[in-house]
């Protein structure tokens, strides 16, 4: 009897292994079939949530450019999701040729996993972030609570909506922007800054797990007086949901949000897409790329394009994460890791 | 010997089906769970303990367990009621209601969560009336219970329904002729018969609620120490690339769920036996 079980077990295992290996041979065949000068090439851009519309437009433009330049057809596949989740997928084997994420830390972790060099951020201009954004406020029409700046958010009776920094990359920018403001107000006093941010989070009634969730809570559920949001998200909300219901308030000072991009060397090498992947990212810095970014409410780096969109993006006093927090790794460790400052805010 | 054993079996192919069962269970359940333990074991014992006994984590265990328990209890009562109505009465549209019971199974939990939140938010269809009475549903533990009740309902109905259907009315009629009141008939005749099924449904609904994520994150306010469920904390750990920490919390929930299910099953086994002896 036992023998029979073992025979069945073994044969089933063999069947399973055979099925698996069969599959892998077909994929390798497909890979080797296409040498370096392929007629067609595919790229996978793994990005975060709010860039969906932007990259759809950008990809079309790049494909046209590449076909004209090199006579090669390029298809770009997009994957969107929470920045941290996307980063984990790449580490766990999602074969991204390029990543375009919400914050440098999420790419740092991929670099630590050995998929690209640790100094990746030096490879492209402007910290490898071709476009920027910042953190602004969305308030209800007429601004009934009279919110002008960060210090209005800590007042009693003001209800603030922001996602959870532990689960949302965007929320980390929000938190750091508030912290930076408080530091500036108090001549760099960290204790005062902590007090300020603690007070701000006491005014938060719902901590959604992601930025879009917070937008829904504020816009659809009608909760809160002010939504702290990425500038491009605020514009989108305004355009999609009605200018007659909301308005954008620009604080006196905010953080320069730099969503970075880079080639995932390991996969690009494997797919033979290094050249086109690099060109794809370089194209973000060209006038066309900058223009598309600006049209999708990302602040362009190019001064010319920025000038053209001057009215769209009001001037704000912006500080960078490197200046105030000594980079993402540092900020992550001090503020958001377990036992960090953010956890202390919620200690009973 | 072998021949003798074979004679007892109605269906042939025990070897094949047992082999299949073992492989299937290993690939789908045992190996993934073993890897979960493996991942958690990369932590030192002190780190493991610190992770799983953190204030915030403990608060979330309590919240998850107590909301799941209440939701399962509510389902045990009202699910039985629905099963009763579906089995014992005939009415127009009965089939539609019967089919509706399974809807929470088919619906993606995120859809359920968003729909429930929309309705129970302070400005929602139902939420506004609760709000007027001073009761907040969405973004509170009450909202979590609503979501968990929603997803757990089919379990009780579907476990009680067939048992009720098979219940022989003779006993009820006999009891009635012997002068038993309807309450007595229910408590002494019907309830003992369907109680094991209610327990099964309760256990399934409870187990499902413990692990529910999709529908709850939308309706819960996700506030630390207040409305943060365990699955959310696991996601939080993952967002920090803390795989081992996430696995550690998962292991605690796994062990806890297993012990609970084991106890409920044991209880069920005992009541079934008692009923059969009577």
């Amino acid at each position: 009897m036992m023998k029979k079980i073992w025979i069945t077990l073994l044969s089933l295992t063999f069947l399973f292994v055979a099925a698996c290996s069969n599959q892998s041979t077909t994929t390798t065949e497909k890979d080797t079939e296409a040498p370096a000068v392929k007629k067609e090439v595919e790229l996978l851009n793994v990005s975060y949530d709010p860039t969906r519309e932007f990259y759809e437009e950008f990809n079309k433009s790049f494909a046209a450019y590449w076909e004209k330049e090199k006579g090669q057809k390029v298809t770009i596949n997009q994957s969107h999701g929470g920045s941290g989740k996307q980063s984990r997928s790449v580490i766990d084997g999602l074969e991204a040729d390029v990543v375009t994420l919400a914050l440098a830390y999420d790419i740092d972790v991929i670099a630590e996993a050995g998929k690209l060099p640790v100094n990746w951020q030096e490879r492209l201009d402007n910290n490898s972030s071709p476009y920027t954004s910042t953190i602004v406020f969305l308030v209800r029409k007429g601004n009934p609570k009279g919110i002008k700046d960060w210090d209005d958010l800590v007042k009693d009776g003001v209800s603030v909506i922001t996602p959870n920094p532990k689960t949302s990359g965007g929320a980390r920018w929000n938190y750091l922007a508030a912290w930076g403001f408080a530091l500036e107000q108090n001549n760099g006093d960290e204790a005062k800054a902590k007090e300020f941010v603690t007070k701000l989070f006491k005014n938060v009634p719902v901590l959604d797990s992601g930025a879009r969730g917070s937008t829904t809570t504020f816009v659809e559920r009608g909760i809160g007086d002010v939504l702290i949001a990425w500038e491009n998200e605020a514009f989108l909300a305004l355009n999609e949901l009605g200018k007659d219901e909301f308005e954008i308030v620009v604080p006196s000072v905010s953080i320069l949000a730099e969503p970075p991009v880079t080639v995932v060397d390991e996969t690009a090498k494997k797919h033979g897409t290094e050249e086109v992947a690099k060109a794809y990212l370089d194209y973000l810095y060209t006038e066309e790329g900058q223009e598309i970014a600006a049209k999708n409410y990302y602040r362009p780096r190019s001064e010319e394009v920025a000038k053209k969109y001057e009215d769209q993006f009001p001037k704000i006093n912006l500080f960078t994460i490197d200046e105030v927090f000594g980079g993402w790794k540092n900020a992550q460790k001090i503020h958001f890791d377990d036992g960090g400052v953010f956890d202390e805010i919620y200690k009973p | 010997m072998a021949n003798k054993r074979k004679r007892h079996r109605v269906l042939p192919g025990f070897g094949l089906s047992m082999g299949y069962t073992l492989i299937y269970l290993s690939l789908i359940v045992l190996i993934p769970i073993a890897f979960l333990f493996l991942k958690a074991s990369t932590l030192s014992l002190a780190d493991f303990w610190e992770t799983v006994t953190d204030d915030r984590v403990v608060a979330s265990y309590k919240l998850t367990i107590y909301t799941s328990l209440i939701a399962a209890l509510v389902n045990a009562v009202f699910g039985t009621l629905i099963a009763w109505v579906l089995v014992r009465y005939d009415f127009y549209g009965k089939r539609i209601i019967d089919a509706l019971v399974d809807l929470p199974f088919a619906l993606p939990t995120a859809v359920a969560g968003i729909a429930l939140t929309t309705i129970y938010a302070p400005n929602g269809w139902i939420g506004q009336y609760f709000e007027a009475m001073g009761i907040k549903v969405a973004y509170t533990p009450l909202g979590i219970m609503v979501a968990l009740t929603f997803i757990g309902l089919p379990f009780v109905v579907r476990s009680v329904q067939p048992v009720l259907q098979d219940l022989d009315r003779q006993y009820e009629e006999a009891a009635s002729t012997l002068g038993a009141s309807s309450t007595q008939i229910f408590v002494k005749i019907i309830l003992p018969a369907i109680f094991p099924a209610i327990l099964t449904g309760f256990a399934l609904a409870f187990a499902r609620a413990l692990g529910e994520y999709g529908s709850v994150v939308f309706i819960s306010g996700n506030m630390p120490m207040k409305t943060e469920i365990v699955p959310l904390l696991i996601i939080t750990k993952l967002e920090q690339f803390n795989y081992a920490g996430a696995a550690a919390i998962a292991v605690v929930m796994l062990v806890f769920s297993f012990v609970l299910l084991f106890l409920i099953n044991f209880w069920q086994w005992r009541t079934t036996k008692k009923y059969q002896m009577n």
Side-chain angles (χ1 to χ4, degrees), chain A residues 1 4-5 8-10 12-13 16 82-85 87-88 91-92 105-106 109 164 166-169 172 201 204-209 217 219-223 332 336-338 342-343 346-348, chain B residues 5-6 9 14-20 22-23 27 51 54-56 113-115 117-119 121-123 139 213 217-218 220-226 228 232 235-243:
Chain A
M1 197 66 245
K4 244 186 179 168
I5 296 179
T8 334
L9 262 174
L10 266 176
L12 274 172
T13 318
F16 181 72
S83 188
K85 193 207 132 259
S87 160
R88 270 199 320 280
I91 293 172
D92 293 340
Y105 179 71
D106 287 334
V109 195
N164 191 339
K166 301 279 272 192
T167 50
S168 155
R172 270 170 249 170
F201 273 90
V204 177
V206 177
L207 277 176
D208 283 291
S209 59
T217 301
V219 171
E220 299 278 322
R221 317 267 179 259
I223 293 177
Q332 174 72 31
F336 307 120
D337 273 354
D338 281 341
F342 181 73
D343 279 354
Y346 280 100
K347 276 261 162 71
Chain B
R5 221 194 275 166
K6 248 178 198 163
R9 287 196 199 110
F14 171 73
L16 194 66
S17 50
M18 185 62 188
Y20 180 73
L22 283 179
I23 292 203
L27 286 177
T51 307
D54 182 65
D55 286 350
R56 227 170 122 183
I114 292 170
T117 315
T118 309
I119 290 168
N123 65 355
Y139 312 117
Y213 175 73
V217 280
F218 292 102
S220 150
N222 299 328
M223 302 299 286
M225 313 298 295
K226 288 190 198 113
E228 214 173 30
L232 179 73
I235 299 282
T236 303
K237 299 269 179 222
L238 287 178
E239 284 295 329
Q240 296 163 64
F241 304 97
N242 183 357
Y243 293 71

Side-chain angles (χ1 to χ4, degrees), chain B residues 159-170:
Chain B
S159 11
V160 176
Q161 211 176 5
V163 181
L164 263 180
Q165 232 140 23
D166 293 345
L167 199 63
D168 202 336
R169 289 215 187 186
Q170 275 181 29

Side-chain angles (χ1 to χ4, degrees), chain A residues 36-338:
Chain A
V37 238
K38 297 186 248 188
K39 261 257 152 73
E40 282 182 35
V41 65
E42 259 186 64
L43 275 186
L44 175 60
N45 176 4
V46 170
S47 193
Y48 62 109
D49 261 328
T51 57
R52 192 173 283 111
E53 294 81 7
F54 163 49
Y55 275 109
E56 264 166 27
E57 206 179 333
F58 177 78
N59 291 345
K60 268 187 216 139
S61 175
F62 175 74
Y65 157 82
W66 190 249
E67 189 151 21
K68 215 175 95 196
E69 271 311 272
K70 299 266 170 178
Q72 191 181 32
K73 211 169 163 280
V74 52
T75 316
I76 300 134
N77 300 315
Q78 295 170 260
S79 160
H80 295 271
S83 188
K85 193 207 132 259
Q86 293 292 74
S87 160
R88 270 199 320 280
S89 306
V90 172
I91 293 172
D92 293 340
L94 178 64
E95 300 206 329
D97 299 285
V98 296
V99 283
T100 52
L101 296 176
L103 38 104
Y105 179 71
D106 287 334
I107 300 185
D108 281 337
V109 195
I110 303 176
E112 274 165 32
K115 294 196 183 276
L116 49 104
V118 191
N119 67 343
W120 63 272
Q121 210 165 5
E122 294 157 19
R123 297 196 289 189
L124 288 166
D125 288 345
N126 299 317
N127 280 330
S128 287
S129 41
Y131 42 82
T132 67
S133 192
T134 185
I135 303 301
V136 298
F137 308 147
L138 195 69
V139 298
R140 302 194 187 281
K141 190 76 193 171
N143 197 358
K145 296 270 163 115
I147 287 153
K148 295 263 174 316
D149 208 346
W150 289 101
D151 40 8
D152 293 317
L153 305 191
V154 300
K155 285 182 183 156
D156 287 338
V158 172
S159 162
V160 182
I161 302 296
T162 175
N164 191 339
K166 301 279 272 192
T167 50
S168 155
R172 270 170 249 170
W173 286 113
N174 294 356
Y175 170 103
L176 294 174
W179 191 279
F181 167 84
L183 277 185
E184 200 181 273
Q185 291 281 298
N186 298 299
N187 301 316
D189 188 336
E190 295 274 348
K192 287 254 174 68
K194 186 178 168 189
E195 198 181 305
F196 181 86
V197 173
T198 304
K199 239 167 130 186
L200 196 158
F201 273 90
K202 288 270 180 293
N203 280 349
V204 177
V206 177
L207 277 176
D208 283 291
S209 59
R212 273 287 152 90
S214 274
T215 310
T216 311
T217 301
F218 181 73
V219 171
E220 299 278 322
R221 317 267 179 259
I223 293 177
D225 302 308
V226 51
L227 171 76
I228 312 181
W230 285 64
E231 187 176 51
N232 60 312
E233 274 281 282
F235 271 118
L236 273 181
L238 212 59
N239 289 346
E240 300 273 318
L241 306 155
K243 287 184 174 133
D244 45 343
E245 280 189 63
F246 305 100
E247 43 188 271
I248 291 177
V249 170
V250 177
S252 66
V253 57
S254 193
I255 196 163
L256 179 72
E258 298 181 297
V261 301
T262 202
V263 175
V264 183
D265 299 45
E266 195 188 85
T267 3
K269 202 173 235 163
K270 193 173 139 201
H271 293 171
T273 50
E274 282 161 303
E275 193 195 353
V276 58
K278 196 177 166 297
Y280 178 73
L281 296 184
D282 286 339
Y283 192 69
L284 283 167
Y285 287 87
T286 63
E287 211 188 315
E288 289 86 353
Q290 294 283 295
E291 182 98 29
I292 298 170
K295 262 196 272 175
N296 285 280
Y297 312 111
Y298 281 100
R299 290 184 177 226
R301 290 283 196 183
S302 143
E303 277 174 31
E304 281 163 49
V305 181
K307 208 158 194 181
K308 213 171 133 190
Y309 285 86
E310 226 170 20
D311 297 340
Q312 185 174 314
F313 301 112
K315 276 213 156 36
I316 314 180
N317 193 0
L318 295 174
F319 58 85
T320 70
I321 190 161
D322 291 345
E323 283 163 19
V324 179
F325 300 96
W328 261 112
K329 262 188 211 160
N330 222 2
Q332 174 72 31
K333 211 173 112 204
I334 294 173
H335 291 277
F336 307 120
D337 273 354
D338 281 341

Side-chain angles (χ1 to χ4, degrees), chain B residues 19 21 43 54 71 108 111 137 155 162-164 173 176 188 193-194 200 228 231 240 251 259:
Chain B
T21 306
L43 285 174
D54 182 65
V111 176
V137 183
F155 289 105
V163 181
L164 263 180
E173 282 155 12
S176 184
K188 301 226 159 148
I194 59 171
T200 306
E228 214 173 30
Q240 296 163 64
V251 161
V259 170

